[in-house]
Amino acid sequence: MSKALLNINNLKVSFFTPAGEVKAINDISIRMEEGDVLGIVGESGSGKSVTAYSIMGLIPYPGKIVNGTIEFNGHNIHEMAEKELQNIRGNEVSIIFQDPMTSLNPVYTVGNQIQEALFLHTNMDKQRAYQRSLELLNLVGINEPEKRLKQYPHELSGGMRQRVMIAIALACEPKLLIADEPTTALDVTIQAQIIELMMELKKKINMSIIVITHDLGIVASMCDKIAVMYAGKIVESGTIDDIFYSPQHEYTKGLLKSIPKLNKKEHEKLVPIKGVPVDMLNPPAGCPFAPRCDSCMKICLKRMPEYTNISDDHKCACWLLQKKEYEAATGGER
Amino acid sequence: MGGYIIKRVASAIITIFAVATITFFLMFLVPGGPFLAEKAPTPQTIEALEKKYGLDQPVVVQYANYMKRLIFKLDLGTSLKKRGQEINDIIRVRFPVSARLGAISVCTAICLGIPLGSIAALNREKWLDRTIMAISTVGNAIPSFVVATVLMYVCGVVLRILPTFGLTSPAHYILPVISLSFYPTAYISRLTRTSMLDVLGQDYMRTAKAKGLSQFKSLFKHALRNAVLPVVTYLGPLLAFIMTGNFVVERIFTIPGLGSEFISSITDRDYPLIMGTTIFLATLLIILNVFVDIAYKIIDPRIKLK
Amino acid sequence: MDDKRNPLSFQLDVSDFLPAEESEKQSLVVMRESVNFWKDGFRRLKKNKVAMISLVVIILIMIFAFVLPSFYPYSYEQQIRGSENLGLLQYSEDELARRAAGEKVFPHFLGTDSLGRDTTIRIMMGSRISLLVGLIASAIILIIGSTYGAISGYFGGKIDMIMMRIVDIIYTIPDILIIILLSVTLKYPLKDLAANVKGFAWIDIVGVGLISIFIVFSLLYWVGMSRIVRGQILSLKEQDYVIAAKALGASSGRIIRKHLLTNTIGTLIVTTTLQIPSAIFTESFLSFIGLGVSAPMPSLGSMASQALNGIRSYPHRLMAPAIMISIIILSFNLLGDGLRDAFDPKLKD
């Protein structure tokens, strides 16, 4: 196994709100090698964005890491001081956000905002930084870069702004790019362009990417590995084939059933996942998906299942798998 | 941009015109017309005055004359009670005093209000925030004449540490400036706190942090400029507030400014002076507001420049 | 894997793997109770201690201003000979003599003024004026502003444009100057009206000053309200239920009343409440500079202004109205903030 670029172990992140502790991330572990493209999939509130922010040491107030470690590129993120984190952010790890409309500061020009990152992490002079920002805009496929540098964000379209965000993120050639729902706020055609751009750039610069999304289509077109999150836990993780062709967790299966497919037979219906996610203020003792699960068993409501290793890469936390193991182990008695 | 300025100036001119017209016709509600009110002048005086001001002519002609004098000569007329004094001269002497006091108070309110509001926002829900907001809530409820009179009593009468009469030394400025800037400071700090909290929650602040900017830098470069935008929009009302505040504060601290003159012209029923001062101050405010609006467009590039 | 983390080492039962009952599953789903807008708002308001205290204070001040004067042994215009310029809780010689004779004399809690009028009752009446001005002016502003804004927003297009131009111009007129001007000039025609036209005698009772204040407010102060209402209507009008109502053939008036105004009611309540202190503010300012209510009717502003001359000897005459006016404005401000948080979180500054 090659050297891990990112290693998250038993991470727990909680938000201490006036109403109580919200366990946004509840004991997750992720491992990524250099060059990997990892997709984190889940519905809103499942903790996927918080996972991304914790890698950058950017957990918003009043959130805190309660337990666990984050190792990235030789740094122990979880114990680093703010000053040290600032040297890493935008330099070794970058992030692009969901909404390019609001992620750029409206009162500064595009050029100003790109060069800001350069001045922070390199010792380029003004001239060099200007050249580099031109290069970057070319790289992300923006035409008339000289003109764009002088424009304000509101003068650009959504897709263009997301390209600018990517240019900012790539300014210092990071090892890891985190894309937090990079296309959710964009038109479908623009979505495809942005995904294509990211894959191209990955090849050019050889960086790793974490894509956070609720859109399985994006995952399928970009990622090597997938982690499926539900209510702050990774319920299943594996390669793209594992997840798409032999999903084990009932939630994963549900997700796959709920997306339209062209090659499906006509009479097959889309099956939505019934119910609503659990209240994160009072998470249940058992599997968080249990209340919505069609195959829910008594044990599911009482205790969280451990991971079952289906193959080297493929892991899943579900009592149904545990049941099989249990039956296999105690098979004689039955 | 040029188009916007022209449009804005044009509408300002219309407003000034409207104010002058309203003022003129309102004065006709006073028995005997604006120049004769409430006195029992001798027939000779009436005749002389009527001739002088053309009061014997029909209203429309009077109005035209009045506007002509106003527009072409910038002549606001003569005071009724202060015999022979041109209102223009009164304003020339009195206004600079008020303007200086007002300008210092505006600066004080901005220079205190913005930092206080930002500090409160950054220490949200902590004791510092609560303290600043408590003071500002109380400050928002106290009229400036109350602040001024209480300050005058406490600092001038009981403690005897500061002068409360006139405006002859820097120390004389302290109490009037506090009285005038107390409410706006409270208001601006509240406004800044709210908008700062809003800005701090914006996505671009997250972007700034994700770039690796320090807390300090991201605050100064990215947050502050966005957070003060609402304060700029408050500048218009602020100027109006300071102006009316001047009326009472100048009266309380016996400052020889235009405000105290205006108040005494009201008590004296010196209608031409009331009229002249109103038109002058209204014009001033309207013009200042045009500048504020234009400044806002420059600071916030999102506003479409036509 | 150590033993503790191995699930198989737990005491597992075959029965654990039986399918769970639907009811068991449901017990885990915490459904939030659905409450309606008003209930939810009032619940939030009740939780807001500051707002509730302000409400209690306002009620107390109302009792103080509207009920107590009827039972008070002195009246606001009564000049007690020999009792001029009394200090806090002082009695005049005459009153002391009467007390010595065993007569009960009601104390002057806040002393008397230079004309021998009891300050306490004058503060009560002054607060009454302030509250009346605040409430009536806000009601006027509410009616004019919301009607104007609703019409403008509902019809849109050219009508909206013209109506909003007018609002823009009124908005840029320096209102306080026009208010002063109106208060100065309106006195005469109003006095004329009261004296000469039958049916207008009430003007004298209410006071020319007060009437001019109301006229001024209703002429100029409604523009802010009308802008807010128009904005609300513009966004609401695009809602599907309004389009549905239109499709069903509901008349414009009905749509404005039934659908649009009911949906803006939260905003209206909050804006109106916050308008009260600003009207009180303006009234006290006008009285302080000698406009506003006419003597002998007291107003907190004019009382403070009169106290200015004797500030060295009688500071309490200044402090009493000053504190009163500040408490009134503060409580209305805080109540308004509380209402806003409870009913209209969107409006936050």
Side-chain angles (χ1 to χ4, degrees):
Chain A
M1 225 186 266
S2 59
K3 182 177 146 256
L5 175 70
L6 173 71
N7 204 347
I8 299 179
N9 268 313
N10 304 104
L11 183 68
K12 280 189 185 177
V13 176
S14 288
F15 286 82
F16 296 90
T17 68
E21 182 185 351
V22 178
K23 292 177 178 168
I25 301 183
N26 200 349
D27 202 4
I28 65 164
S29 301
I30 291 175
R31 190 187 156 84
M32 254 182 106
E33 264 106 68
E34 264 176 48
D36 270 359
V37 178
L38 169 74
I40 301 181
V41 189
E43 51 197 86
S44 10
S46 61
K48 41 192 200 331
S49 291
V50 179
T51 311
Y53 298 157
S54 22
I55 299 171
M56 303 195 74
L58 271 184
I59 302 169
Y61 177 87
K64 266 193 203 123
I65 294 183
V66 181
N67 186 30
T69 58
I70 306 169
E71 287 154 38
F72 165 72
N73 203 21
H75 307 288
N76 289 329
I77 301 279
H78 56 281
E79 49 188 32
M80 275 168 85
E82 176 66 21
K83 263 255 137 26
E84 300 169 284
L85 284 169
Q86 283 165 13
N87 291 328
I88 296 178
R89 287 182 204 141
N91 191 12
E92 291 174 43
V93 51
S94 288
I95 187 163
I96 54 179
F97 294 108
Q98 172 173 1
D99 194 349
M101 299 306 205
T102 55
S103 293
L104 290 167
N105 194 330
V107 298
Y108 292 105
T109 60
V110 167
N112 185 322
Q113 297 188 55
I114 299 179
Q115 284 152 25
E116 187 174 36
L118 293 170
F119 290 136
L120 265 177
H121 300 294
T122 66
N123 33 27
M124 290 183 186
D125 56 13
K126 270 194 174 165
Q127 187 56 37
R128 183 73 198 85
Y130 177 76
Q131 286 306 325
R132 172 72 180 147
S133 49
L134 278 185
E135 264 171 54
L136 282 165
L137 286 191
N138 271 321
L139 188 70
V140 296
I142 288 182
N143 54 0
E144 302 180 89
E146 289 95 348
K147 185 179 148 201
R148 302 293 176 206
L149 282 179
K150 285 187 212 123
Q151 283 182 318
Y152 287 95
H154 68 272
E155 297 171 87
L156 306 179
S157 68
M160 199 99 89
R161 281 190 231 182
Q162 195 60 299
R163 284 170 195 264
V164 171
M165 279 302 291
I166 296 175
I168 293 174
L170 297 184
C172 301
E173 306 201 333
K175 292 261 185 190
L176 174 64
L177 174 69
I178 301 173
D180 184 5
E181 309 241 4
T183 58
T184 312
L186 302 174
D187 287 348
V188 184
T189 46
I190 313 286
Q191 279 186 18
Q193 289 173 14
I194 295 287
I195 291 170
E196 207 172 296
L197 172 70
M198 285 203 287
M199 294 316 287
E200 237 173 73
L201 291 170
K202 177 194 172 317
K203 270 181 223 152
K204 274 190 201 158
I205 320 179
N206 186 35
M207 58 183 176
S208 312
I209 298 180
I210 295 180
V211 186
I212 292 165
T213 180
H214 59 256
D215 185 342
L216 285 167
I218 290 173
V219 174
S221 57
M222 287 183 76
C223 305
D224 316 317
K225 287 185 184 168
I226 299 177
V228 180
M229 283 192 77
Y230 188 83
K233 290 178 196 290
I234 294 182
V235 291
E236 185 169 6
S237 63
T239 64
I240 190 156
D241 286 349
D242 292 336
I243 301 294
F244 276 86
Y245 296 110
S246 61
Q248 298 296 317
H249 200 277
E250 290 299 308
Y251 177 62
T252 319
K253 291 180 193 167
L255 269 185
L256 289 167
K257 271 187 214 154
S258 66
I259 49 170
K261 276 183 195 147
L262 284 175
N263 57 3
K264 269 193 178 174
K265 284 174 204 141
E266 259 175 62
H267 60 264
E268 261 185 85
K269 274 192 200 158
L270 283 180
V271 188
I273 302 176
K274 271 180 246 154
V276 289
V278 286
D279 183 357
M280 298 292 278
L281 267 176
N282 313 295
C287 171
F289 187 63
R292 298 169 76 182
C293 180
D294 286 335
S295 324
C296 178
M297 301 177 295
K298 289 191 192 300
I299 184 76
C300 299
L301 300 170
K302 289 184 207 150
R303 273 216 319 262
M304 183 64 202
E306 290 295 318
Y307 286 109
T308 311
N309 290 315
I310 294 124
S311 65
D312 272 356
D313 290 325
H314 196 180
K315 277 201 275 185
C316 178
C318 179
W319 279 114
L320 289 170
L321 300 175
Q322 298 280 350
K323 182 186 175 192
K324 274 188 208 155
E325 267 182 43
Y326 177 81
E327 280 170 357
T330 59
E333 289 165 36
R334 282 188 87 200
Chain B
M1 191 72 195
Y4 173 78
I5 295 175
I6 290 168
K7 223 168 117 185
R8 193 64 193 77
V9 170
S11 90
I13 290 172
I14 295 175
T15 316
I16 294 171
F17 193 78
V19 170
T21 310
I22 294 171
T23 312
F24 178 81
F25 284 103
L26 276 180
M27 283 303 161
F28 269 89
L29 295 177
V30 181
F35 306 103
L36 297 174
E38 266 194 355
K39 291 193 1 169
T42 58
Q44 293 98 309
T45 333
I46 293 185
E47 206 175 303
L49 276 172
E50 285 197 334
K51 216 172 177 190
K52 186 175 177 196
Y53 295 110
L55 293 187
D56 41 358
Q57 283 160 324
V59 180
V60 187
V61 181
Q62 285 187 43
Y63 174 65
N65 288 337
Y66 162 81
M67 281 309 218
K68 237 188 266 164
R69 268 195 301 136
L70 199 62
I71 296 168
F72 297 107
K73 294 191 192 152
L74 297 176
D75 180 7
L76 293 167
T78 321
S79 165
L80 195 67
K81 298 284 155 91
K82 305 190 172 195
R83 290 263 161 231
Q85 274 209 54
E86 292 280 318
I87 293 170
N88 288 24
D89 290 335
I90 296 177
I91 292 176
R92 202 168 298 130
V93 174
R94 297 273 188 149
F95 177 64
V97 179
S98 306
R100 203 173 314 129
L101 182 59
I104 295 174
S105 306
V106 169
C107 292
T108 311
I110 294 173
C111 296
L112 281 179
I114 292 177
L116 282 176
S118 311
I119 291 170
L122 293 175
N123 295 285
R124 180 178 43 173
E125 307 292 308
K126 294 190 189 137
W127 68 268
L128 196 57
D129 175 30
R130 286 173 201 279
T131 315
I132 292 174
M133 279 308 110
I135 295 172
S136 130
T137 308
V138 173
N140 263 319
I142 305 184
S144 50
F145 71 81
V146 173
V147 182
T149 46
V150 171
L151 274 180
M152 167 158 144
Y153 177 67
V154 174
C155 298
V157 179
V158 179
L159 301 174
R160 292 176 184 282
I161 43 172
L162 285 167
T164 59
F165 189 91
L167 206 55
T168 43
S169 77
H172 282 86
Y173 276 92
I174 297 176
L175 291 182
V177 166
I178 296 178
S179 322
L180 272 178
S181 54
F182 194 66
Y183 174 90
T185 306
Y187 192 90
I188 290 178
S189 58
R190 255 182 100 126
L191 198 63
T192 311
R193 177 181 183 270
T194 314
S195 81
M196 187 56 114
L197 282 181
D198 177 52
V199 167
L200 289 179
Q202 290 288 321
D203 290 351
Y204 53 78
M205 289 309 293
R206 209 171 45 179
T207 311
K209 264 195 163 180
K211 267 184 205 171
L213 277 172
S214 65
Q215 172 89 1
F216 184 80
K217 255 190 165 174
S218 60
L219 276 179
F220 262 79
K221 188 177 166 190
H222 289 271
L224 204 56
R225 182 139 172 215
N226 283 290
V228 298
L229 283 176
V231 178
V232 177
T233 58
Y234 173 65
L235 280 183
L238 170 66
L239 292 168
F241 176 88
I242 294 280
M243 193 193 73
T244 49
N246 255 331
F247 299 165
V248 295
V249 168
E250 284 180 13
R251 177 175 124 79
I252 292 168
F253 293 107
T254 340
I255 294 165
L258 191 56
S260 52
E261 184 69 63
F262 188 49
I263 298 304
S264 51
S265 75
I266 291 171
T267 358
D268 291 349
R269 313 274 166 212
D270 187 346
Y271 292 100
L273 189 52
I274 298 177
M275 210 161 130
T277 315
T278 305
I279 293 174
F280 172 74
L281 289 176
T283 310
L284 180 78
L285 262 191
I286 293 167
I287 291 173
L288 286 175
N289 268 315
V290 171
F291 283 118
V292 168
D293 281 3
I294 293 171
Y296 185 72
K297 306 274 145 152
I298 292 170
I299 295 175
D300 189 352
R302 272 168 303 185
I303 310 267
K304 280 254 167 71
L305 302 176
K306 279 181 197 161
Chain C
M1 223 186 254
D2 64 24
D3 255 7
K4 263 189 179 167
R5 292 182 62 91
N6 188 340
L8 294 182
S9 69
F10 281 115
Q11 284 296 312
L12 279 184
D13 206 329
V14 183
S15 68
D16 278 339
F17 289 133
L18 291 174
E21 308 281 330
E22 199 54 39
S23 57
E24 286 177 274
K25 282 159 76 172
Q26 281 315 313
S27 68
L28 285 181
V29 183
V30 196
M31 273 308 220
R32 292 205 178 81
E33 191 193 345
S34 85
V35 281
N36 76 21
F37 173 75
W38 294 108
K39 255 193 195 161
D40 196 39
F42 279 117
R43 192 179 50 80
R44 265 180 289 180
L45 187 64
K46 269 186 213 149
K47 265 194 188 166
N48 188 338
K49 272 192 205 124
V50 178
M52 289 322 280
I53 293 173
S54 312
L55 186 62
V56 171
V57 171
I58 290 171
I59 293 171
L60 288 179
I61 293 174
M62 288 203 169
I63 295 173
F64 178 75
F66 291 102
V67 183
L68 278 189
S70 329
F71 304 104
Y72 212 71
Y74 303 110
S75 93
Y76 70 91
E77 73 240 279
Q78 178 189 358
Q79 305 182 358
I80 308 163
R81 282 279 162 80
S83 297
E84 289 88 3
N85 291 328
L86 293 181
L88 299 175
L89 282 170
Q90 262 185 353
Y91 293 99
S92 65
E93 279 170 30
D94 178 36
E95 283 164 340
L96 281 177
R98 273 160 59 204
R99 268 169 69 91
E103 213 179 315
K104 268 192 180 170
V105 177
F106 200 79
H108 304 289
F109 294 103
L110 295 170
T112 56
D113 66 7
S114 54
L115 295 175
R117 293 177 296 196
D118 184 81
T119 310
T120 319
I121 182 79
R122 290 182 66 75
I123 293 279
M124 289 180 192
M125 294 309 282
S127 313
R128 180 187 288 191
I129 297 291
S130 288
L131 290 171
L132 275 179
V133 168
L135 296 171
I136 298 176
S138 306
I140 295 173
I141 290 164
L142 172 69
I143 294 167
I144 300 181
S146 59
T147 314
Y148 192 95
I151 293 172
S152 175
Y154 181 78
F155 289 103
K158 271 221 177 89
I159 298 178
D160 179 41
M161 213 195 71
I162 294 167
M163 288 177 87
M164 279 301 122
R165 259 306 97 74
I166 296 172
V167 164
D168 285 345
I169 287 180
I170 296 181
Y171 209 76
T172 45
I173 288 178
D175 40 21
I176 203 81
L177 289 170
I178 299 297
I179 286 178
I180 292 174
L181 208 59
L182 281 169
S183 319
V184 171
T185 51
L186 278 180
K187 284 202 165 164
Y188 302 101
L190 282 177
K191 268 188 187 154
D192 249 20
L193 202 64
N196 302 331
V197 184
K198 243 190 159 182
F200 282 95
W202 52 270
I203 288 178
D204 256 350
I205 302 165
V206 185
V208 172
L210 266 188
I211 302 271
S212 353
I213 287 180
F214 292 142
I215 292 180
V216 161
F217 278 4
S218 48
L219 280 178
L220 294 176
Y221 266 42
W222 51 269
V223 288
M225 171 77 79
S226 78
R227 278 188 170 175
I228 291 174
V229 171
R230 171 182 170 266
Q232 288 262 317
I233 299 283
L234 276 184
S235 67
L236 280 170
K237 161 166 108 149
E238 302 303 320
Q239 306 280 329
D240 290 341
Y241 57 83
V242 174
I243 298 170
K246 254 190 189 167
L248 287 171
S251 69
S252 300
R254 189 187 154 82
I255 291 178
I256 290 182
R257 273 197 319 274
K258 265 231 95 93
H259 294 284
L260 300 182
L261 279 181
T262 44
N263 276 291
T264 48
I265 213 111
T267 318
L268 290 183
I269 291 175
V270 174
T271 323
T272 310
T273 313
L274 288 172
Q275 198 80 58
I276 296 174
S278 96
I280 294 178
F281 222 107
T282 312
E283 186 275 330
S284 69
F285 167 79
L286 287 178
S287 320
F288 186 83
I289 64 172
L291 299 167
V293 297
S294 27
M297 184 60 93
S299 148
L300 296 176
S302 59
M303 288 177 76
S305 174
Q306 285 152 17
L308 214 55
N309 298 324
I311 193 166
R312 275 157 219 281
S313 332
Y314 312 105
H316 62 275
R317 279 194 213 154
L318 171 69
M319 295 302 169
I323 292 171
M324 196 65 204
I325 190 101
S326 304
I327 291 178
I328 294 177
I329 296 176
L330 183 65
S331 354
F332 273 106
N333 270 345
L334 292 174
L335 178 68
D337 285 352
L339 283 173
R340 179 184 56 202
D341 292 344
F343 289 105
D344 202 353
K346 282 174 299 184
L347 248 187
K348 244 185 168 176
D349 286 275

